[in-house]
């Protein structure tokens, strides 16, 4: 619930949040409820699902980006 309230507090409709994928499935529900678009940055099994390099995050940042969600483990 805290993340749902955070989404609603810091983001407006059509804003974007970058989240490393795979991620906790409820993040999609939170974003839908807040009318926010999830922009996934893909982590790979070959890299043991480690976070991608910062450059991969930077490529996804747009004027609509309001947050980057890093949660470890991915299922709070």
């Amino acid at each position: 619930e805290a993340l749902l309230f955070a989404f609603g507090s810091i983001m407006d409709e059509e804003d974007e949040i970058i989240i490393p994928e795979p991620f906790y499935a409820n993040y999609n529900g939170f974003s839908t409820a807040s009318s926010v678009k999830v922009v996934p940055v893909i982590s790979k099994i070959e890299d043991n699902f480690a976070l991608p390099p910062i450059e991969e995050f930077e490529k996804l940042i747009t004027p609509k980006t309001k947050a980057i969600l890093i949660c470890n483990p991915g299922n709070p």
Side-chain angles (χ1 to χ4, degrees):
E1 283 182 17
L3 287 174
L4 176 60
F5 295 140
F7 280 28
S9 297
I10 66 170
M11 293 179 259
D12 296 318
E13 289 185 10
E14 306 302 320
D15 282 342
E16 299 174 350
I17 183 168
I18 298 171
I19 307 176
E21 189 175 48
F23 53 78
Y24 182 51
N26 283 349
Y27 295 163
N28 278 326
F30 298 160
S31 65
T32 299
S34 301
S35 299
V36 172
K37 178 183 175 188
V38 170
V39 177
V41 60
I42 309 300
S43 58
K44 299 177 184 170
I45 193 168
E46 297 85 19
D47 299 323
N48 294 319
F49 296 110
L51 288 176
I54 192 69
E55 294 82 16
E56 295 300 312
F57 288 86
E58 290 171 340
K59 289 179 192 175
L60 301 173
I61 295 172
T62 71
K64 291 188 173 201
T65 304
K66 297 297 185 229
I68 298 174
L69 175 62
I70 305 290
C71 185
N72 188 14
N75 183 352

